[in-house]
Amino acid sequence: MDITPSPADPAGIGPLELVEYPHPALLRRTSPLVSIDDALCAAVDRMFEIMYEAVGVGLAANQVGLPYRLFIVNLEANPESGEELVFINPTLSRPRGTAVQEEGCLSLPGLRMDVRRPEKVVLDAWTLDGEQVRLDLDGFLARVVQHEFDHLEGRLFTDRLPEAASLEARRALDSMRDVFLGRQSRGELPVDADIHTRLAALEAERCAPPGGRA
Ligand code: NI
């Protein structure tokens, strides 16, 4: 897979904002990027702003309505400290151990629950400069990276709960859905068909065509 920095600035991405469950971008697998352009770099800058405003430690592109395999992390949740990490087209391998820790998600406001995940994992990804990185992760960074990677697969931490906790989460998700559908019916949010059209247009701009090499 090649990622070629491109001097051209194709279609702008436009204003970005955090999207909440059940926005269709969250529930759909993202697509690998085949080019990195100025508009995408600007979008990543904006993602950091959005993440810091919400005091988050990680943010996946589809949490701001971009259908790309890209997420950002700063374990300090603070622009003045910590390291700003950008991972493009990530893959995870070699899961080892098990750890349980409480998680929350900027797209599931108010919900926090214990989630079981591998304790260690190897991450392969590209940086915004097009450099390849391989990191053997454990601790909090391993947890955050796995949570963000799940987003790119269209999965939320509520998909990883044992049955009793899952029923409890279901009630919260159902009320978030009611709020979302209400906002759509009042015209405050686009309808699903328009959201899918925009996601497809963004994919066409920076991802390989379906069935093509990526
Ligand atoms: Ni999340």
Side-chain angles (χ1 to χ4, degrees):
M1 169 168 28
D2 291 319
I3 298 185
T4 336
S6 152
D9 188 359
I13 285 176
L16 297 176
E17 61 179 2
L18 195 58
V19 302
E20 294 180 358
Y21 179 89
H23 191 286
L26 295 173
L27 307 177
R28 175 178 185 282
R29 195 165 186 269
T30 54
S31 298
L33 283 158
V34 294
S35 72
I36 297 171
D37 54 69
D38 292 346
L40 186 73
C41 293
V44 169
D45 287 344
R46 179 67 189 129
M47 283 175 65
F48 275 105
E49 289 174 8
I50 289 168
M51 184 178 80
Y52 295 134
E53 281 164 18
V55 199
V57 293
L59 188 68
N62 49 333
Q63 290 185 274
V64 295
L66 296 178
Y68 302 140
R69 295 188 77 74
L70 177 162
F71 64 81
I72 63 170
V73 174
N74 181 344
L75 295 184
E76 303 284 329
N78 183 340
E80 307 300 325
S81 62
E83 189 179 1
E84 293 191 336
L85 303 167
V86 180
F87 297 118
I88 297 170
N89 297 351
T91 58
L92 299 183
S93 59
R94 295 189 62 216
R96 285 149 289 152
T98 300
V100 176
Q101 190 174 339
E102 193 181 67
E103 294 187 20
C105 179
L106 299 181
S107 296
L108 301 172
L111 192 62
R112 298 194 63 85
M113 303 194 82
D114 282 340
V115 182
R116 179 183 300 272
R117 295 187 186 275
E119 187 179 14
K120 301 180 182 185
V121 72
V122 171
L123 165 70
D124 285 284
W126 277 260
T127 68
L128 210 47
D129 302 322
E131 285 171 24
Q132 222 173 334
V133 290
R134 163 169 284 200
L135 300 171
D136 197 352
L137 305 174
D138 62 14
F140 191 41
L141 184 54
R143 165 121 345 223
V144 172
V145 161
Q146 290 178 82
H147 176 115
E148 300 312 327
F149 183 85
D150 270 355
H151 274 301
L152 302 185
E153 295 291 308
R155 276 195 302 257
L156 300 164
F157 77 78
T158 47
D159 296 322
R160 294 194 173 273
L161 301 174
E163 195 176 344
S166 177
L167 289 172
E168 192 185 330
R170 189 73 254 164
R171 283 194 294 273
L173 294 178
D174 285 347
S175 69
M176 286 179 215
R177 182 180 296 277
D178 289 343
V179 170
F180 190 88
L181 295 177
R183 293 186 66 194
Q184 282 184 320
S185 69
R186 291 191 298 275
E188 296 167 18
L189 289 174
V191 297
D192 282 9
D194 291 347
I195 293 172
H196 284 295
T197 300
R198 171 171 155 82
L199 293 171
L202 287 163
E203 279 176 335
E205 197 66 59
R206 295 178 184 83
C207 304
R213 289 181 57 212

